[in-house]
Amino acid sequence: MEKWYLMTAAVLLGLTVRWTVSLNSYSGAGKPPMFGDYEAQRHWQEITFNLPIKQWYFNSSDNNLQYWGLDYPPLTAYHSFLCAYVAKFINPDWIALHSSRGYESQAHKLFMRATVLIADLLIYIPAVVLYCCCLKEISTKKKIATALCILLYPGLILIDYGHFQYNSVSLGFALWGILGVSYDWDLLGSLAFCLAINYKQMELYHSLPFFCFLLGKCFKKGLKGKGLVLLIKLACTVVASFILCWLPFFTEREQTLQVLRRLFPVDRGLFEDKVANIWCSFSVFFKIRDILPHHIQIMISFCFTFLSLLPACIKLTLHPSPKGFRFTLVSCALSFFLFSFQVHEKSILLVSLPVCLVLSEIPFMSTWFLLVSTFSMLPLLLKDELLMPSVVTVMAFFIACATSFSIFEKTSEEELQLKCFSTSVRKYFTCFTFLPRIIQHLFLMSVITMILLTTMTVTLDPPQKLPDLFAVLVCFVSCLHFLFFLVYFTIIIMWDSKTGRSQKKIS
Amino acid sequence: MAAFGIATGGSNWFSALALGVTLLKCLLIPTYHSTDFEVHRNWLAITHSLPISQWYYEATSEWTLDYPPFFAWFEYALSHVAKYFDQEMLNVRNLNYSSSRTLLFQRFSVIFTDALFVYAVHECCKCIDGKKAGKELTEKPKFILSALLLWNFGLLIVDHIHFQYNGFLSGLMLLSIARFFQKRHMEGAFLFAVLLHFKHIYLYVAPAYGVYLLRSYCFTANKQDGSIRWNSFSFVRLISLGLIVFLVSALSLGPFLALPSVFCLWCKPQGPRGFLRCLILCALSSFMFGWHVHEKAILLAVLPMSLLSVGKAVDASIFLILTTTGHYSLFPLLFTAPELPIKIILMLLFTIYSISSLKTLFRKEKPLFNWMETFYLLGLGPLEVFCEFVFPFTSWNLKYPFIPLLLTSVYCAVGITYAWLKLYVSVLIDPPVGKTKKQ
């Protein structure tokens, strides 16, 4: 592409920000006996390298599942094994069975951070660049700007390179899947997405839109001919990839069941810790966890989740389109985040990825959402002593988006993609013309609230009786935002082009 | 909302560039810092806790005050802010004191004083014309110059990692150059005089200032062919300049080797552009032949050269060779493992951007590099791989650990010497521009 050097500059900038953030602290640094996610990843390297596969997911004297037992699907385990193999060359003490527990050193930190960077560079970043290069109907400059903004998204950088995780691997695979499926490379796309699910089971949040979109494509091609062929091919691809990933664990039934038990801990309850979803916010007023029995909780969660995502999924099956697919990914993931079982605050990244993909279409709302998503993880980031990098990366992201897309000039109905919706409402309420202004004011209030809450959390001590006050407030405020965004994205999907196109034809 | 929109809109790319690099500097706060960090902490302590008469005598620490008085006053002013961060850093006996608050204060003081550099870049942008400009923002000379100066790799790693205060000092120099372009000579001379009393290394470019001011300012007009018109001499101007004291010192051989170019400045005045070239030559000559030169002194030549690079293709070519080799020569400054990715990624960022953007700007003229120069610049890649990744694992590493440093110095010396020669030749053979219409 022309101006390839600017795209290279954007990628290099993204890498610089990532590595400088990684110079800061990580989850559980210097905090025995449990430490944090960093130690969990190191421990998995220890387990996968020293123990045979059959023992990876089972409790034993060598593998105490209470101390960071493996709870991600097999691909994570294989990745840990690969990293451990490299670690053995550099310093075997890092992964020595039992004796390496809680190992912390500058050199080890460098190694671990390097593994994150390499995985990112191989999987996520190329996907982002390719996605932006393939965007249609926008100038080269805008493509590069979109790539820069996506690469500067603070949430992913802070969690992967600060807190310490490997979300870029699963999100990267998912993005390859989205790319494949959007440009009619259906089999490769499905394969990539299966790899994503087999890396982190939370990617199941994205599975329904994939399923509905591909099903819709099959229907369109006609279930009596090409459609059926495609359907069979897809089914085979999915089954084959799952078998390949789970092969060592399919030898015995007990193995498979145990892995599933580790992946889906239904015993752990509706939610854990503070998370910006409905159940946690609701429990501020109504202790739902204690009052309702366990199976009722599961059922309510199930019902709410599926009720909220069903309309969008049905529409996607009936009218499959890449644009509808992207927006449905957002609303589905958001529904799961808000209403599902055992959600962690980091799962918001699963919503952020599709929102990044629609950044060029609705820059204002996307930027707003991405800022809120980072804010919702504030308690976690503060616990990891990542205040400075958080503030800096959020500001950098905001400046990049504001300069690239002139977001504050794009708040008209048309640009918010609410034109069809507003026209429909105006049939009943002719005075409904103030939507953009309301949204602008809401944005201002939102930013002020977030800045205020951040300042208060950092500078003030919470009252004795309510030690979690600020964390709960952050979650509650974020939850309200997310509900608003769920409504917004659902409206866009439901009032989308088909009605608009037919109207244009008539007029 | 509309006002907010205008403020952050696409037309304000300069603010975005400046804010962006400032945020990057904040992210560099936890990186490695050199002994210069302790040097400046010590000077904060000396100026804060001792009477003026003791400032240049105090020797509890090995890092005694060895910059001119203005810098001492600067540290004194900073110390009054420092006491709100951590009082302990101002104790002269607290050698190597580096609490997290001290680190935060020192790093922020560099970032904050860079505001002067940003302002200077802004003024420099006003001095270049946009004749070659396309409609596209990224192809405008002003944009490229701002990016090359604000995001200069050398300045970033020397000031914000290694730790120094070159930002605001370079800002003073660039501002004085900009003032000459804007024909505000008195201000330019004043700024330079102030700069000299902050850091005496700038003496190396004093001959350029001296000759230019004498020839082009004190003599108010030229004859038709550009030679001197003696009766246009203005005593008033000379004396007013004299009031702004500037010293011409012969601290080293460097300035002498720049003398032919200085004579050129007298005989064939070319306005502010000629002055700029002469200044760069003085700086470069002093770097190459001076006494006790630090590798960081290459910045003295690189930063002003950026101004020339967006003007003519020949200058762009010299700039790129000088900058790339000069920046690479700074690599040994950062020898710690966590900083390795940063220096490589930032170097790639700056080098790829500078070469590509200048190539695009001058795409209608002949190529910027011949095959020899291209080969030389590409050779930096394998050199880095060898020095940083291959050699440390060989057996020679124990016996001859200095080899990477030696190779780096020799390789870069070739490039810098080549750039120096090319610049010298272009200064000597360029025809004089008597009528200053183009400027």
Side-chain angles (χ1 to χ4, degrees), chain B residues 15-31:
Chain B
S15 311
L17 280 176
L19 277 169
V21 78
T22 308
L23 290 170
L24 177 63
K25 291 170 188 171
C26 291
L27 283 178
L28 292 173
I29 288 178
T31 52

Side-chain angles (χ1 to χ4, degrees), chain A residues 137-259:
Chain A
E137 288 168 32
I138 59 173
S139 66
T140 312
K141 215 172 82 164
K142 273 264 149 46
K143 288 183 188 175
I144 297 170
T146 311
L148 181 66
C149 292
I150 298 180
L151 288 175
L152 284 181
Y153 168 57
L156 185 58
I157 298 178
L158 290 166
I159 295 294
D160 271 16
Y161 292 87
H163 181 83
F164 200 93
Q165 279 211 326
Y166 289 97
N167 292 301
S168 53
V169 178
S170 56
L171 291 175
F173 278 134
L175 186 49
W176 282 111
I178 296 171
L179 264 171
V181 155
S182 302
Y183 291 100
D184 292 326
W185 292 70
D186 295 325
L187 294 182
L188 288 173
S190 316
L191 175 65
F193 184 62
C194 288
L195 290 176
I197 298 182
N198 282 310
Y199 194 87
K200 279 200 182 190
Q201 69 274 33
M202 278 72 94
E203 280 293 331
L204 283 169
Y205 287 15
H206 292 152
S207 55
L208 265 174
F210 268 90
F211 178 74
C212 296
F213 186 44
L214 289 168
L215 194 65
K217 276 194 186 183
C218 293
F219 283 159
K220 239 178 146 177
K221 288 198 164 138
L223 262 189
K224 295 229 166 85
K226 285 196 184 149
L228 189 61
V229 174
L230 181 59
L231 192 60
I232 294 176
K233 279 191 192 169
L234 286 169
C236 289
T237 312
V238 171
V239 170
S241 49
F242 266 83
I243 290 178
L244 230 87
C245 292
W246 287 65
L247 200 56
F249 303 99
F250 276 157
T251 50
E252 284 165 19
R253 191 163 171 266
E254 188 51 33
Q255 276 281 342
T256 321
L257 283 177
Q258 175 64 359
V259 178

